[in-house]
Amino acid sequence: MDEYPDLRNAILTGSAPSAAAAAKKALEGGADPVAIVEKEVGPAMNEVGRLYEAGEYFVPELLLAARATKEVFGILRPLLAKKGAKPVARVVIGTVQGDLHDIGKNLVAAMLEGSGFEVIDLGINVSPDKFIAAIREKQPQIVGLSALLTTTMPAMKTTLDGFRNAGLRDSVKVMIGGAPVTQAYADSIGADAFGENAAAAVSVARKLVAC
Amino acid sequence: MLLRPRGTYSLHAIEAMTARTLTIGGITLRGRFGEFLKGARRAAVFVVTAGGEISRRAKARCEAGESLEGLVLDAIGSWAAESAAQALAVRLGEQLGPGESFTLRYSPGYCGLHLRQQLNLFRLADAGSAGVALTPALLMQPIKSISGIIGLGPRDEVGEHLSPCELCPLADCRMRR
């Protein structure tokens, strides 16, 4: 049974102002911020992902829901921090070296943020060294690599090789995605996971930090 | 201005063509020309762009947390680049002789035309005049740009395929039409 159906509905309909208002109202009514995340925000985003996979929602609905949820997290985060609750995980994400396409990577970043992950976006044309420096500095649990072209996809392998050579491969889980990328390619270069689309990337990331 | 479509092309007589090579303007290109430019007597090398502002704006909106706006702007940029390519084809149509038609458009990065061929294409077409440059990884900047080759030849000889996918070996491609 929903305790705060207004919040869940606002996320499902992608209304950031309504979601923010519903979250504030819940807090004013004495709601526990952790319970809001666990009982409403998380299940709402799961439902958004399910509707996308079912072909009922499309990318715009995903993004609107993610934006609404990000707004809610903006309100809840200071309260969650006071209670010692941490983000689901920290993710460093970027488009690999040589590739200038960022829209797919941005969608994944927005969905992850809307699902409670902390996302550090390194942008496009990211060299292995830049990823390695970010791993050392930010200590993420997950690194996400994106490529749009078959011609830039090999840079994913180069990046993973860089992690291995730097002795960092076992300290992070690596997920990859992008139009030409497949599970078979992820397996062939030794990535930990493949996200077929922005919604799938969230469930893949959750599984990576659960194991 | 959000969109600033520009384009350029150069038209060349085909000096030689085999299944895997095309020689125009004294430069030999490698790719599946025997299929894509089948029947062509002349080849147009083109570069078109939607300009860089649309991608800058899309990036800014994404960074401001407005991913949907960024996505829509990015899609508009893709549409504009495609429209520019179609507009260029209309202009190129003025060069067609009686009974002549076009082949499919063939672009680096697709179907055996390696990205390295961008260097040759940019030599043959004055890409700089359209404001398009190559990055060290041979991608075009602005990113919403299209380069390629179109063959011109007798209508009954040029391959009039319904879809380039018919010539593409990527059977499990998600974009297959």
Side-chain angles (χ1 to χ4, degrees):
Chain A
M1 191 73 180
D2 296 355
E3 284 188 56
Y4 308 103
D6 290 353
L7 177 54
R8 184 178 291 213
N9 288 338
I11 292 170
L12 283 169
T13 55
S15 171
S18 300
K24 282 178 189 159
K25 193 176 154 195
L27 291 170
E28 281 160 14
D32 175 6
V34 176
I36 293 177
V37 173
E38 288 178 353
K39 291 186 177 170
E40 303 298 342
V41 179
M45 283 306 279
N46 287 343
E47 178 64 1
V48 168
R50 191 193 68 75
L51 289 166
Y52 178 78
E53 294 293 342
E56 290 185 42
Y57 271 18
F58 295 91
V59 169
E61 281 104 333
L62 280 190
L63 292 176
L64 288 174
R67 190 178 66 162
T69 311
K70 195 178 169 188
E71 194 88 7
V72 172
F73 274 114
I75 295 163
L76 298 182
R77 196 159 284 129
L79 303 169
L80 291 169
K82 268 189 205 161
K83 285 186 163 276
K86 290 181 177 163
V88 180
R90 184 177 291 159
V91 183
V92 162
I93 195 169
T95 301
V96 293
Q97 189 162 37
D99 202 322
L100 307 177
H101 296 87
D102 63 354
I103 204 77
K105 178 261 300 166
N106 291 345
L107 301 190
V108 172
M111 284 300 289
L112 287 171
E113 280 189 335
S115 302
F117 288 81
E118 180 188 349
V119 178
I120 296 150
D121 188 347
L122 301 183
I124 56 174
N125 194 20
V126 181
S127 67
D129 285 348
K130 197 170 169 189
F131 275 114
I132 288 166
I135 293 170
R136 290 201 168 116
E137 187 191 341
K138 305 291 184 184
Q139 307 277 312
Q141 287 79 42
I142 298 173
V143 175
L145 308 179
S146 169
L148 183 76
L149 307 171
T150 51
T151 45
T152 52
M153 213 164 65
M156 290 179 156
K157 183 179 185 306
T158 314
T159 306
L160 272 172
D161 289 344
F163 294 176
R164 281 188 201 99
N165 294 338
L168 292 170
R169 181 62 191 93
D170 295 332
S171 61
V172 288
K173 299 284 187 185
V174 177
M175 56 189 281
I176 67 173
V181 180
T182 60
Q183 181 65 55
Y185 182 70
D187 294 341
S188 76
I189 65 168
D192 297 300
F194 158 66
E196 181 153 16
N197 54 54
V202 174
S203 49
V204 162
R206 284 214 181 99
K207 277 184 201 152
L208 282 179
V209 286
C211 58
Chain B
M1 208 183 313
L2 207 50
L3 294 169
R4 191 154 184 252
R6 294 163 78 184
T8 183
Y9 71 87
S10 58
L11 194 55
H12 307 270
I14 292 178
E15 293 156 27
M17 183 161 68
T18 67
R20 291 285 187 266
T21 65
L22 172 76
T23 305
I24 49 176
I27 292 175
T28 298
L29 301 141
R30 297 187 189 285
R32 288 168 48 195
F33 292 104
E35 294 157 86
F36 277 86
L37 262 67
K38 184 183 165 195
R41 304 289 195 271
R42 293 179 292 163
V45 178
F46 72 91
V47 179
V48 295
T49 183
E53 184 56 29
I54 188 87
S55 295
R56 279 191 287 277
R57 197 78 68 89
K59 185 169 185 274
R61 295 315 292 152
C62 283
E63 285 173 356
E66 299 292 345
S67 302
L68 179 55
E69 282 182 32
L71 176 73
V72 170
L73 286 167
D74 185 82
I76 290 170
S78 299
W79 165 83
E82 183 60 37
S83 297
Q86 287 172 12
L88 184 128
V90 170
R91 188 76 63 87
L92 200 53
E94 295 164 7
Q95 304 290 335
L96 289 173
E100 274 196 323
S101 187
F102 295 125
T103 65
L104 283 168
R105 204 165 76 199
Y106 193 25
S107 292
Y110 290 93
C111 300
L113 188 56
H114 198 277
L115 219 49
R116 279 193 303 270
Q117 299 299 328
Q118 287 277 46
L119 292 169
N120 284 330
L121 261 57
F122 271 57
R123 260 179 224 133
L124 289 160
D126 182 15
S129 70
V132 182
L134 289 176
T135 70
L138 302 177
L139 299 188
M140 287 178 285
Q141 193 71 273
I143 198 161
K144 296 299 179 190
S145 302
I146 301 173
S147 63
I149 305 175
I150 303 174
L152 292 74
R155 180 169 287 119
D156 53 357
E157 289 185 47
V158 295
E160 288 190 326
H161 293 273
L162 292 174
S163 159
C165 299
E166 291 172 36
L167 295 174
C168 181
L170 294 176
D172 59 351
C173 174
R174 283 187 255 169
M175 311 294 267
R176 184 167 273 275
R177 286 174 269 172

